[in-house]
Amino acid sequence: MSAPTTPLTTGTAGGTTTPRRRRRGPRTWLAALPLLAFTGLCFGLPLGAIAFGAVTRTDQATGSTQVTGEHLARSLQGPYLGSLTGSVQLSALTALLGAVLGVLVAYAVATSRSTALRSAALTASGVLANFGGVPLAFAFIATAGISGVVTRLADLTGLGWNLYSFTGLTVVYLYFLIPLMVIVTVPALDGLRPQWREAARNNGASTWQFWRHVGLPVLAPSLLGGFVLLFGTAFAAHATAAALVGGSVPLVTLKIADALSGNVLTGQENVALALGLDMILIAGLVMAVHLPLQRRSARWLR
Amino acid sequence: MFSSSARRGAAVLLGAAVLTTLSACGAAPDQPAAGTAADGKAKARPVTAASAADLGGMEALVAAAEKEGKLNVIALPPDWANYGEMQKAFQAKYPKIKIAAENPDASSSDEIAAVKTRKGQDRAPDVLDLGIAFARSGAAENLFAPYKVTAWDRIPASQKDADGRWYNDYGGYVSIGCDAAKIPHCPQTFADLLKPEYKGKVALNGNPTKSGSAFGGVYAAALANKGSFADIQPGIDFFGQLRASGNFIPVESTPATVEKGETPISIDWDYLNAGYAEQFKGKGVDWKTVVPADGVYAQYYSQAVNKDAPHPAAARLWMEFLYSAEGQNIWLAGHARPVLLPGMTQDGTADKDAVAKLPQVQGTPSFPASAELDKAKATLAEKWDKALS
């Protein structure tokens, strides 16, 4: 799920997606052929397979296949719908928090004069952004779980802390989302030229006015791109949540796993595919919000 | 510009699709070839044999299996119910048949998927160890070969398909494991689990909509709370209550969480809990296992032979081995209750030491009917999330 968003947002962050207006030769599309073939094979075919499975039903006994809306309908009802909204809520909240906190950290890193701090922070972010899954869940269980070290030392349970909840999951997700935001926004902050700020100051602008009218509008596409990337990452995360909360926080990835590869529910494969299709649509919607805005303000970072 | 390149992109895609189809067609001739090889193998025809006698007795079966020389198994974790020992013992007894074990931690639905997607291939699984729901649905989808082992008549009627397409192999009771080194008074019943002293301590082996043993835990809790096989709701309510009181923790109990003390009380199969006791003895864990008297629920896994098994004779020989006294005792040594245990206790072939180590249970187990099980699962899938959140 996060894969389609990646090329998009890294492009934004680097500020390199400036549209070229030069006239192209008639055969330049040939150069894009490998990419198109790759995209078609690695995204198009699976997408087609998911869509096909989501809207058909195959009778095992006769082998006949019929088109049906039943799976999609089921994926938008009851606990399945609950898991979709649960995932959207969790992803939106963690992406928002992660984006805000990540930008603050990134700003501190980008404006710091210490190169040691800068490289340390960026390296750490690179590592932490990829530190997810079961190891992360167990690291948190060991420190902040019921019998975790920190939980017992600081009596977190007495303070109402519970790792195995929506709040707990939010904190754990932020652990890898904030570093991810740092990685994608530091290049954009670097692109914010000091001359602009000097020019604004010379014209009598306050710090607030500079940010309100120059800084934030220029950064907006990168920030939004970062938010979309974070949303996608959180939306698609599975292993951490599976190890941490099991079924007690409804998430769509967990539901897909239950339906696709479980020991209890039989014959749910097509509902899992329908849920996958729902996820793709939601991710597509989020990206659709981002694209026009990005195009509008990308010209500043040329 | 854009539209024309898009059109060309579509042409490329189409080309790729054609290529894929072509290569798929290229693979097709293997299937009949494998089929004829098995069919042509002789008068014995292991692929349709419904019992060892059909092939001319055990010796003929062994000979046919040795000729095939291979057995594909899937989803047999070595540390689960002594399956590691089972494979070793089979290998030692029939050294000419090589066991190819694949994906030990696969789930039942993975197994069924492997049967469907590898139909006709040499690497399709020969035999399957399935959760009961998948054994039933697989039989309904006509995926299994009917085969009755020599010990067929001694398997209770409620634990087998009349046609021999699947039959229970081993199982156990829902039990409460408890680390007596950390918990002063171990809970003995489901009712005990609600006591405030167990706050933040009670875990299940996974999510009941996915894990068979966690599902069993909810079923047993239902029985303990005036529910029945047809009515699992009281079990769901019970866990909702446990969650509300803060006693329930959603961490999936595993050997690691048991050893670390993260899941000091774990509702799980008795053979897994009993195994933990042995595994972690002397590591600061004093693991006690009790089958709660208020919620007695047993569940067995089932064996089935893939209808399109690439090694049909080896598959049948494996079944004979599992249901021999030797095979059944290997499960028993893994604290599981083999399906032939009642008969074996009577005729004295059961390993008495291993029997003595099993957690105590009163009475004989009864099992939900297919319709009751389906209803319980539907209710669980519908209500579990809400009760827990």
Side-chain angles (χ1 to χ4, degrees), chain A residues 24-26 28-29 33 36-37 39-41 44-45 60-61 74 77-80 82-83 138 141-142 144-148 152 157 162-166 238 242-251 254-255 257-269, chain B residues 1 4-5 8-9 12-13 16-17 20 106-112 116 131-134 137 140-141 143 199-201 207-213 215 243 246 248-252 254 256-257 260-263 301 374 377-378 380-385 388-389:
Chain A
R24 274 180 267 184
T28 32
W29 60 269
L33 207 60
L36 286 175
T39 316
L41 270 177
L45 283 185
Q60 281 298 330
R74 276 193 65 195
Q77 284 168 12
Y80 289 117
S83 74
F138 272 95
I141 288 174
I146 294 276
S147 56
R152 272 187 290 182
T157 314
N162 178 7
L163 178 64
Y164 316 108
S165 64
F166 190 88
H238 166 249
L244 213 53
V245 297
S248 65
V249 175
L251 294 179
L254 301 180
K255 274 279 174 287
D258 291 358
L260 214 51
S261 154
N263 285 303
V264 178
L265 304 172
T266 53
Q268 304 284 309
E269 294 84 355
Chain B
M1 180 77 214
S4 81
S5 74
R8 279 173 183 129
V12 169
L13 255 185
T20 326
S107 66
S108 294
S109 45
D110 296 335
E111 294 179 58
I112 294 291
K116 286 182 186 168
I132 183 73
F134 287 86
S137 69
E141 291 180 31
L143 298 174
K199 194 169 167 64
K201 305 230 186 303
N207 178 354
T209 54
K210 185 173 188 195
S211 144
S213 67
F215 175 75
R243 169 80 175 171
F248 181 69
I249 45 171
V251 186
E252 200 170 299
T254 63
T257 62
K260 269 192 349 194
E262 185 66 19
T263 54
Y301 287 90
D374 288 346
K377 284 189 300 182
L380 186 83
E382 192 67 34
K383 302 284 177 59
W384 178 256
D385 283 356
L388 266 266
S389 53

Side-chain angles (χ1 to χ4, degrees), chain A residues 1-276:
Chain A
M1 283 305 308
S2 68
T5 64
T6 313
L8 217 161
T9 28
T10 42
T12 324
T16 52
T17 49
T18 322
R20 296 198 166 213
R21 310 212 172 201
R22 237 173 284 151
R23 196 171 280 274
R24 274 180 267 184
R27 287 189 199 281
T28 32
W29 60 269
L30 269 175
L33 207 60
L35 178 69
L36 286 175
F38 176 80
T39 316
L41 270 177
C42 297
F43 292 111
L45 283 185
L47 181 62
I50 289 177
F52 180 77
V55 298
T56 57
R57 180 187 33 214
T58 305
D59 192 330
Q60 281 298 330
T62 60
S64 65
T65 303
Q66 302 156 301
V67 174
T68 168
E70 164 200 1
H71 310 303
L72 279 171
R74 276 193 65 195
S75 76
L76 296 173
Q77 284 168 12
Y80 289 117
L81 180 65
S83 74
L84 274 171
T85 50
S87 272
V88 170
Q89 279 170 2
L90 182 70
S91 314
L93 178 69
T94 53
L96 189 68
L97 287 174
V100 171
L101 298 173
V103 164
L104 294 179
V105 176
Y107 187 67
V109 168
T111 53
S112 158
R113 295 212 183 97
S114 154
T115 46
L117 171 75
R118 186 189 165 90
S119 60
L122 287 180
T123 312
S125 297
V127 174
L128 295 179
N130 289 299
F131 185 57
V134 178
L136 179 66
F138 272 95
F140 264 92
I141 288 174
T143 43
I146 294 276
S147 56
V149 181
V150 177
T151 316
R152 272 187 290 182
L153 283 179
D155 188 28
L156 290 179
T157 314
L159 300 169
W161 166 252
N162 178 7
L163 178 64
Y164 316 108
S165 64
F166 190 88
T167 322
L169 210 52
T170 306
V171 172
V172 176
Y173 274 26
L174 286 179
Y175 189 83
F176 58 85
L177 290 180
I178 293 176
L180 190 58
M181 190 67 187
V182 172
I183 295 177
V184 298
T185 42
V186 161
L189 286 165
D190 285 342
L192 209 58
R193 297 189 198 141
Q195 294 93 315
W196 297 346
R197 169 173 276 207
E198 286 158 15
R201 196 160 290 165
N202 287 343
N203 286 311
S206 66
T207 308
W208 160 248
Q209 279 171 322
F210 166 73
W211 281 112
R212 167 73 186 77
H213 296 290
V214 182
L216 281 178
V218 169
L219 283 180
S222 313
L223 297 188
L224 206 63
F227 175 82
V228 171
L229 178 65
L230 261 52
F231 182 91
T233 309
F235 197 53
H238 166 249
T240 313
L244 213 53
V245 297
S248 65
V249 175
L251 294 179
V252 65
T253 46
L254 301 180
K255 274 279 174 287
I256 291 178
D258 291 358
L260 214 51
S261 154
N263 285 303
V264 178
L265 304 172
T266 53
Q268 304 284 309
E269 294 84 355
N270 295 65
V271 180
L273 292 174
L275 281 172

